[in-house]
Amino acid sequence: MTVPPDDPRFRREMASAYRSGWHFVDLATAIPHRGDALKITLFGEPIVVAREQDEDVRAYRCLRRPRGAPQPIRCAIRYGMIFVNLDQRDHQLIEPETITATPRSA
């Protein structure tokens, strides 16, 4: 690893990852080439982490239903390590609230 373990930025980032629902999967060197994939089980859920053709690393939750399409989940690489986030609330799209206000006249 190129980052020393006593680096405060590294410790802050790791604390943020563990606190926010992000989970360490493996080192990025585990899937070095395009088309490489890694299948893991995290909290009983099968997950595939793959290096796509555009060199990005993406993660997918494998659904157990027949003919279910893989569901994309959030994936990030920090300091050469792959993290995934399984928190369902983190994957829901939230529409911005529309605030209606009536201006008061003086």
Side-chain angles (χ1 to χ4, degrees):
M1 180 179 284
T2 60
V3 178
D6 60 346
D7 183 8
R9 290 177 298 155
F10 176 73
R11 286 194 307 250
R12 266 196 314 272
E13 187 126 0
M14 292 302 293
S16 173
Y18 287 120
R19 184 175 54 248
S20 66
W22 289 90
H23 303 284
F24 171 71
V25 173
D26 205 338
L27 296 175
T29 56
I31 48 175
H33 306 291
R34 293 182 203 164
D36 288 349
L38 176 69
K39 185 172 180 182
I40 62 164
T41 302
L42 188 62
F43 300 114
E45 294 191 40
I47 297 171
V48 174
V49 181
R51 188 170 296 271
E52 303 287 338
Q53 294 301 323
D54 58 358
E55 292 290 331
D56 284 342
V57 174
R58 294 191 178 91
Y60 301 92
R61 177 182 284 131
C62 300
L63 302 177
R64 293 189 174 140
R65 288 177 266 159
R67 289 176 270 164
Q71 177 187 18
I73 57 176
R74 290 188 62 195
C75 178
I77 296 180
R78 297 286 185 261
Y79 296 104
M81 296 179 283
I82 302 170
F83 291 90
V84 295
N85 192 334
L86 296 179
D87 190 2
Q88 289 292 330
R89 295 171 297 177
D90 200 33
H91 300 287
Q92 295 174 355
L93 295 176
I94 300 172
E95 294 183 24
E97 289 184 30
T98 55
I99 300 172
T100 56
T102 305
R104 293 185 179 181
S105 57

